[in-house]
Amino acid sequence: LKPMQQQQGRIQGKTLIITGPGSGIGKETALLFAEEGAQLVLVDIKEDGLQQLAAKIRRSGGCCEIVSGDVSQRKTSEIAVETAIKAFGKLDIIFNNAGIMPIGDILDFPEEMWDEVMGVNLKAIFLMCKAAIPELLKSGGGSIINTSSVMATLTEPGYAAYTASKAGIIGLTKEIAVSYAERGIRCNAICPGWVETDINLKLAESMGGIDKLYPIIKQQQPLGR
């Protein structure tokens, strides 16, 4: 890979929607893309986090708008796309990153929670793509990035809903990719392993603390980190 300083500006002037930017991967992506000159629409259910992130981006000279809403609801994706077009006149990139990870044995897992996981992790991507693809086509194409997980193919006990949703993201990503490749839209999934985000730190605390969990994580990684 080229040094980061040689990559800056690749997305200068591009309009980007990010879901789940309140923390973790979404937040760091938003800050980096703003630094590289993108125009951002930030979508999250937690308005306080959105306001703080937007203020930080604007103080640094970046351009962003915020949409507070539940990504599993169709109206949220429609408002996000409308906001992008109204504020910036076009849409180039979608980063479907919002996700939740409740844990529980399938025999005890509430049906309502299963539906919530599927709604936030998987249905939300369908809804955002449905709203955004027409605008990407108007721009001559674009890029869709969906956050899946290594848990889509390698899982552990207690992650039935999360694993199923993340595996579904890979299937949906493939279908969108082959459906729109000839019309200039790229669709890819990223599959992170362990990343030190809020959601994983809470998981670590429930398992005895990060100090106890890190040796186990490192042992599972060929690179040892």
Side-chain angles (χ1 to χ4, degrees):
L1 294 175
K2 296 179 181 179
M4 181 57 71
Q5 62 266 25
Q6 294 183 27
Q7 296 183 15
Q8 291 180 348
R10 291 172 301 162
I11 52 174
Q12 182 75 40
K14 299 287 187 181
T15 301
L16 168 75
I17 293 176
I18 301 179
T19 67
S23 62
I25 293 172
K27 180 179 180 179
E28 297 304 319
T29 301
L31 292 171
L32 176 61
F33 280 24
E35 183 181 335
E36 291 206 359
Q39 303 165 148
L40 307 176
V41 176
L42 310 174
V43 186
D44 205 297
I45 198 167
K46 297 178 181 178
E47 187 168 358
D48 289 347
L50 279 179
Q51 294 284 5
Q52 293 173 14
L53 178 58
K56 184 173 184 178
I57 289 172
R58 289 165 182 158
R59 283 196 301 269
S60 300
C63 298
C64 69
E65 300 289 333
I66 64 172
V67 173
S68 176
D70 181 349
V71 293
S72 69
Q73 301 299 311
R74 176 173 53 87
K75 194 63 179 176
T76 301
S77 56
E78 292 176 345
I79 291 173
V81 173
E82 290 169 2
T83 299
I85 300 306
K86 182 177 180 180
F88 306 117
K90 61 172 184 169
L91 186 56
D92 302 291
I93 304 168
I94 307 295
F95 182 26
N96 291 305
N97 175 70
I100 56 175
M101 190 175 63
I103 304 169
D105 185 85
I106 194 169
L107 298 182
D108 303 318
F109 206 80
E111 181 180 352
E112 295 78 12
M113 188 170 288
W114 175 278
D115 291 341
E116 183 179 1
V117 173
M118 293 302 163
V120 174
N121 292 5
L122 182 57
K123 181 183 177 183
I125 295 178
F126 158 73
L127 292 173
M128 183 61 76
C129 289
K130 190 175 178 67
I133 284 174
E135 295 300 333
L136 294 179
L137 292 173
K138 289 179 184 177
S139 297
S143 175
I144 300 170
I145 307 106
N146 302 323
T147 299
S148 181
S149 169
V150 294
M151 295 286 279
T153 56
L154 301 170
T155 190
E156 301 176 31
Y159 291 89
Y162 185 78
T163 296
S165 68
K166 292 300 183 177
I169 290 171
I170 292 177
L172 179 58
T173 299
K174 289 179 178 180
E175 196 284 330
I176 294 172
V178 299
S179 293
Y180 289 94
E182 293 183 356
R183 302 177 71 180
I185 295 177
R186 293 175 292 111
C187 188
N188 294 279
I190 59 173
C191 297
W194 175 273
V195 180
E196 196 170 297
T197 61
D198 290 348
I199 191 171
N200 279 335
L201 290 176
K202 289 178 182 178
L203 173 62
E205 288 304 314
S206 71
M207 299 176 69
I210 192 69
D211 292 339
K212 291 184 179 180
L213 193 58
Y214 261 151
I216 299 172
I217 295 170
K218 290 181 179 180
Q219 189 177 21
Q220 294 173 342
Q221 311 304 319
L223 292 177
R225 58 177 174 81

